Amino acid sequence: MNDTDFGIEISQFNEGLSPLAHVDTETFVGNKGQASEMKADIISKPGIITQSPGLSDLTNGTQASVVDQLIRFILDKPTTTNTTYAVGTTKLFKLSSTTVASGGSPSWPQTITGMTEGESIVRIGADLLIFYNKSSGGDIATLDLGTEVIDDDWGSDTDMALNKAPHPSAVKEDIVVFGNGQYAGVFVLGLNVLDTQKLDFGLGATVVDVVFHANMWWIAVNYGEGKRSQIYLYDGSAISNILSDEAGIGDQEIGFLYVHNGTVFVVYKDKTINGFIVGFVSGRALKPLRYYAGSLPNHRQKALFKNTILTVSDGSVLSCGAPVEQLPLQISNLADGGHATLGAIAAPFGTPMVSSSSGSNHRIAVFSGYSLDSFWKSTFKDLTKARMLGKIHTVIVQTKELGANAMCKIKLEGNQGKVSSSFFNISGTDVTRHVFRSIDLLPLEDVRVILDWSEGNTTNDCPIRKIILLGNYVEN
């Protein structure tokens, strides 16, 4: 074996994307296991990187059966052990963990008259409230969970029609607070009172999300140009017309709020960067945590999975958080979302569901098995020493014990992507240590590792624990 002047260890994959991956996909900045680009699973087996979860369509879950439109919102809390509901552009769907209901009495899915955009669903008492937009304005439908009969225009019959706007909603016991354009509306079940304009945030305002935390309603409001976005705190009883407090977000657009482990997380867009930020509210300030390149998700696109917050952006499912609290926070591109346009994500039965569309093709699918479109690229590692360059002669990969047909390809890319080696196959039933020599690269200024599972297996994954690069310095 060649004498070795340097060794580079790549491990601790649980740290996810590099802090600068959102602005530089060829970054040198990051810890030894952080990525410059990725679509892989680093949260299911912390410290190990493996293939992304695959997607399996629910029974009846495509346009070939009853899902003939983009599902826009999935109720994240089941109404019974194996039942929840979702709303599309014109219809209400009934879901189990494996199936989209079809037929029956009443016949599923059910059309909501006049609906063009489903916005959100909450359960209160024995009913669902379904918030939606029409070609002009909006409304609230109800579903009696006993009879499963829909009242299409309960909201306008009870109080008044809604604006055409996002309609996020949240429930606490017998109170619902919801967005209605520049207004926040309130429904109190015990008093049977609906007020669609309980709070007025002024012209140009849009309520984009609502959550309940620490006996307060947290209401996220975006404004047009010239006024800052805000998170307002409102009394938990939802009786008064006075706000309790507020946190200024600045000249930034809020996507959604999410409460987890006693903290209010905020996903928001900073106009000065290409992408969005995951942060949290601390007092009256917003503290950024991680950055991601992609379009800003909304109130219909959030879920909890393995102690991390899931969302979607630009066709992908993203994870932010730490699967075990002793590990550092990460953000990662976890999985593909299906078709190009993503609708809703939720995990009402524990396993994430994601909806998507492309033209006339529609689907709702759950995580299942392993995906073959998974990949991972490390940050670049500098190989120079004074006038010398680095010549890599050996790559060692340590995996978990591999099952039949498990496989991942590995190659090296150098000089900031200008040159690359051949691929080597990480494979072999029951094998855990894989050694590759005769690396076909000249001395390099820098190097990164690329993993590619495109020829792997959807049942037996190829989980990688550690990668070691060994080499010598060569006079330039």
Side-chain angles (χ1 to χ4, degrees), residues 156-455:
S156 54
D157 279 350
T158 304
D159 184 71
M160 65 176 68
L162 274 62
N163 294 326
K164 187 170 186 177
H167 299 299
S169 56
V171 62
K172 175 62 176 177
E173 297 173 351
D174 66 345
I175 301 172
V176 178
V177 176
F178 56 92
N180 182 26
Q182 74 182 66
Y183 305 102
V186 173
F187 174 62
V188 182
L189 179 64
L191 302 176
N192 197 31
V193 172
L194 171 68
D195 186 344
T196 61
Q197 299 182 359
K198 182 71 173 181
L199 302 173
D200 185 353
F201 296 98
L203 291 174
T206 302
V207 175
V208 292
D209 210 357
V210 181
V211 296
F212 187 85
H213 172 63
N215 205 36
M216 302 291 291
W217 296 99
W218 298 58
I219 304 172
V221 181
N222 286 336
Y223 289 90
E225 298 296 329
K227 194 171 183 181
R228 297 172 180 269
S229 297
Q230 298 282 125
I231 298 175
Y232 295 96
L233 274 63
Y234 179 48
D235 181 68
S237 66
I239 294 174
S240 76
N241 294 84
I242 301 174
L243 297 169
S244 300
D245 202 352
E246 62 186 67
I249 305 304
D251 189 20
Q252 299 159 141
E253 180 183 355
I254 301 171
F256 66 75
L257 308 178
Y258 196 88
V259 178
H260 181 48
N261 284 342
T263 300
V264 177
F265 292 91
V266 187
V267 170
Y268 62 100
K269 182 176 179 62
D270 185 332
K271 294 180 181 179
T272 63
I273 68 165
N274 176 29
F276 62 87
I277 303 167
V278 180
F280 69 98
V281 179
S282 176
R284 295 189 179 187
L286 183 60
K287 302 293 186 181
L289 289 171
R290 293 293 184 270
Y291 296 74
Y292 190 86
S295 57
L296 183 67
N298 58 48
H299 71 276
R300 304 186 304 273
Q301 299 172 325
K302 53 184 176 178
L304 189 69
F305 181 59
K306 296 185 183 296
N307 203 46
T308 73
I309 298 170
L310 295 192
T311 188
V312 299
S313 178
D314 293 350
S316 295
V317 178
L318 315 178
S319 163
C320 183
V324 178
E325 64 179 6
Q326 290 85 356
L327 295 175
L329 189 82
Q330 58 80 39
I331 190 166
S332 59
N333 188 337
L334 175 62
D336 187 77
H339 295 309
T341 299
L342 300 190
I345 188 168
F349 310 110
T351 302
M353 294 180 171
V354 60
S355 63
S356 61
S357 291
S358 178
S360 60
N361 296 313
H362 311 279
R363 67 188 299 201
I364 180 168
V366 294
F367 283 6
S368 177
Y370 299 99
S371 171
L372 300 185
D373 69 349
S374 307
F375 70 93
W376 183 88
K377 299 179 182 182
S378 74
T379 58
F380 275 98
K381 316 296 181 183
D382 185 75
L383 295 182
T384 62
K385 182 179 181 182
R387 294 178 302 179
M388 294 183 286
L389 304 179
K391 177 70 171 74
I392 296 170
H393 60 68
T394 305
V395 177
I396 302 171
V397 181
Q398 297 179 11
T399 64
K400 299 285 282 185
E401 192 172 278
L402 299 184
N405 301 314
M407 200 261 278
C408 177
K409 299 187 297 181
I410 184 172
K411 74 174 182 179
L412 305 182
E413 192 173 72
N415 296 345
Q416 297 182 52
K418 292 184 177 66
V419 297
S420 61
S421 73
S422 301
F423 273 111
F424 300 91
N425 293 340
I426 305 166
S427 61
T429 304
D430 300 331
V431 178
T432 59
R433 191 170 184 268
H434 314 258
V435 181
F436 308 103
R437 300 183 177 90
S438 301
I439 309 301
D440 54 345
L441 283 173
L442 295 172
L444 302 170
E445 296 177 13
D446 51 65
V447 69
R448 71 173 169 185
V449 172
I450 296 178
L451 301 173
D452 179 349
W453 284 270
S454 62
E455 297 179 19

Side-chain angles (χ1 to χ4, degrees), residues 109-120:
Q110 295 195 57
T111 297
I112 297 178
T113 303
M115 183 171 74
T116 59
E117 294 176 325
E119 282 291 320
S120 66

Side-chain angles (χ1 to χ4, degrees), residues 14 41-50 306 323 370 400 461 463:
N14 54 276
D41 187 352
I42 61 168
I43 64 172
S44 296
K45 303 170 183 176
I48 293 172
I49 186 169
T50 193
K306 296 185 183 296
Y370 299 99
K400 299 285 282 185
D461 64 328

Side-chain angles (χ1 to χ4, degrees), residues 58 60-63 65-75 83-96 99-102 107-112 115 121 128 130 143 148 150 355 362 364:
L58 296 185
N60 302 325
T62 70
Q63 72 284 346
S65 186
V66 298
V67 179
D68 58 355
Q69 57 193 258
L70 177 65
I71 289 179
R72 291 173 49 85
F73 184 90
I74 303 168
L75 181 61
T83 301
T84 194
Y85 296 84
V87 65
T89 55
T90 65
K91 297 177 183 179
L92 182 70
F93 297 84
K94 182 179 179 180
L95 313 177
S96 74
T99 304
V100 181
S102 178
S107 182
W108 288 98
Q110 295 195 57
T111 297
I112 297 178
M115 183 171 74
I121 305 172
L128 297 183
I130 304 123
L143 177 81
E148 295 189 326
I150 291 177
S355 63
H362 311 279
I364 180 168

